[in-house]
């Protein structure tokens, strides 16, 4: 099975958002990865609802929304209305994670949970069967263009074991520092969804880079 490719809009040219989305529509990208940062959960602020709605106007592919925000439960409905197909919240930002997962599903969106590099995958064992996706951070969240953390492969293997042992249908998404070098090993470790920001948008031919990632050999 070929991986799902989700280019991160954070690395796109915001002054030319419409043409960036058109490029992704015409490319082999499967989803648009949307990074929302609040300046509290992470020390950066990205963009909010108006920009997301602008992307939604032109996007012909599902929006995969990664919430790097405190108290995400306060905004789930609004993100769904702004076009989110998948809503991923951080384990570290949710006091009542089980309730928040149900809240996401009640909107009709798919539910994901993201784990920072220090958070053990074991902590998901009691919710894994409720999840549509787990996002493994392979950098510390907050910024694009960071270096991939090598311990990520081990974490993905452990997560894959947990998913299989619980008969969960959750997809494994990896986010941060993904490139053509680590993609094959990530797929071999069990990854289903590759997020890539700077590697795609800083390349000379983003659509070709997306195609290359899509065809990464396991
Ligand atoms: C980081 C974000 C990522 C980021 C990935 O906090 O969650 O989605 O945009 O960018 P690259 O691929 O440049 O590491
Ligand atoms: Zn992300």
């Amino acid at each position: 099975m070929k991986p799902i490719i989700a280019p991160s809009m954070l690395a796109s040219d915001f002054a030319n958002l419409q043409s960036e989305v058109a490029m992704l529509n015409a490319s082999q990208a499967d989803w648009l990865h949307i990074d929302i940062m609040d300046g509290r959960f992470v020390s950066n602020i990205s963009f909010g609802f108006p920009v997301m709605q602008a992307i939604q106007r032109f996007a012909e592919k599902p929006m995969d929304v990664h919430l790097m925000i405190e108290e995400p439960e306060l905004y789930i409905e609004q993100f769904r209305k702004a076009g989110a197909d998948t809503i991923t919240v951080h384990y570290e930002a949710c006091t009542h994670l089980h309730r928040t997962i149900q809240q996401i599903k009640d909107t009709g969106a798919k539910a994901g949970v993201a784990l920072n590099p220090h958070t053990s995958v074991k902590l998901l064992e009691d919710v894994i069967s409720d999840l549509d996706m787990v996002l493994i951070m392979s950098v510390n969240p907050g910024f694009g263009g960071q270096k991939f953390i090598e311990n990520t492969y081990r974490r993905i293997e452990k997560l894959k074991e947990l998913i299989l042992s619980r008969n969960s249908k959750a997809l494994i998404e990896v986010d941060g520092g993904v490139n053509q070098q680590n993609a094959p090993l990530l797929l071999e470790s069990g990854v289903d969804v590759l997020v890539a920001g700077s590697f795609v948008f800083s390349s000379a031919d983003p659509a070709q880079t997306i195609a290359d990632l899509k065809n990464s050999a396991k």
Side-chain angles (χ1 to χ4, degrees):
M1 274 270 286
K2 289 191 176 181
I4 292 167
I5 307 298
S8 169
M9 296 303 298
L10 187 65
S12 70
D13 179 0
F14 292 167
N16 292 293
L17 214 40
Q18 185 176 355
S19 63
E20 296 284 55
V21 173
M23 179 277 290
L24 293 176
N25 286 341
S27 77
Q28 290 187 51
D30 299 280
W31 300 347
L32 274 57
H33 185 80
I34 309 287
D35 287 305
I36 307 290
M37 305 178 182
D38 66 351
R40 291 178 65 217
F41 181 71
V42 291
S43 55
N44 196 8
I45 298 175
S46 55
F47 52 81
F49 300 115
V51 173
M52 218 185 121
Q53 281 158 340
I55 295 171
Q56 186 193 19
R57 275 171 56 210
F58 301 104
E60 293 166 3
K61 297 180 179 181
M63 287 207 266
D64 170 38
V65 178
H66 176 193
L67 298 182
M68 287 162 274
I69 66 174
E70 299 280 3
E71 298 181 290
E73 64 277 5
L74 301 180
Y75 304 100
I76 301 298
E77 302 283 336
Q78 259 177 290
F79 280 109
R80 178 66 173 154
K81 286 203 181 102
D85 294 276
T86 301
I87 299 177
T88 297
V89 294
H90 264 266
Y91 177 89
E92 303 83 6
C94 295
T95 309
H96 303 288
L97 181 63
H98 182 273
R99 181 187 291 152
T100 305
I101 292 166
Q102 298 313 320
Q103 198 189 337
I104 295 170
K105 290 177 139 184
D106 288 347
T107 68
K110 293 201 172 106
V113 171
L115 300 181
N116 277 341
H118 72 275
T119 304
S120 171
V121 300
K122 283 186 200 149
L123 292 166
L124 292 181
E125 66 183 349
D126 292 311
V127 290
I128 194 74
S129 45
D130 298 322
L131 292 178
D132 297 297
M133 190 162 80
V134 177
L135 185 163
I136 295 282
M137 287 303 311
S138 40
V139 299
N140 285 292
F143 301 90
Q146 299 183 81
K147 190 174 175 290
F148 180 85
I149 298 170
E150 294 292 324
N151 188 41
T152 304
Y153 303 113
R154 231 183 87 236
R155 292 163 57 67
I156 289 163
E157 283 163 13
K158 283 189 187 166
L159 174 60
K160 187 76 189 179
E161 279 172 29
L162 177 63
I163 287 171
L164 292 174
S165 72
R166 301 293 163 120
N167 270 325
S168 164
K169 57 179 178 1
L171 297 175
I172 302 178
E173 179 173 56
V174 64
D175 184 8
V178 171
N179 57 38
Q180 200 61 63
Q181 274 68 51
N182 52 33
L185 266 172
L186 287 166
L187 298 178
E188 206 172 296
S189 307
V191 164
D192 305 291
V193 187
L194 296 169
V195 175
S198 45
F199 183 66
V200 166
F201 287 97
S202 305
S203 69
D205 185 347
Q208 184 58 49
T209 304
I210 291 165
D212 292 344
L213 283 172
K214 184 83 186 168
N215 291 300
S216 299
K218 269 197 195 187

